[in-house]
Amino acid sequence: MRVTDVLEMLAGGASPAEIAGDFPYLSEDDVRAVLAYAAAQADHPVVLAAE
């Protein structure tokens, strides 16, 4: 199961409980970890150009 797969299910409206229920090898904590990972990947410093 890829992070992208879980994110797509969440974006489609599935809850962490539904995902964990459909994929018994995942827990709700695993789904929350996917969200934490995605948030960390999307975080980047804001760089402003000097004037």
Side-chain angles (χ1 to χ4, degrees), residues 24-38:
Y25 50 87
L26 292 177
S27 68
E28 288 184 52
D29 284 340
D30 292 329
V31 177
R32 284 188 283 277
V34 163
L35 286 173
Y37 174 80

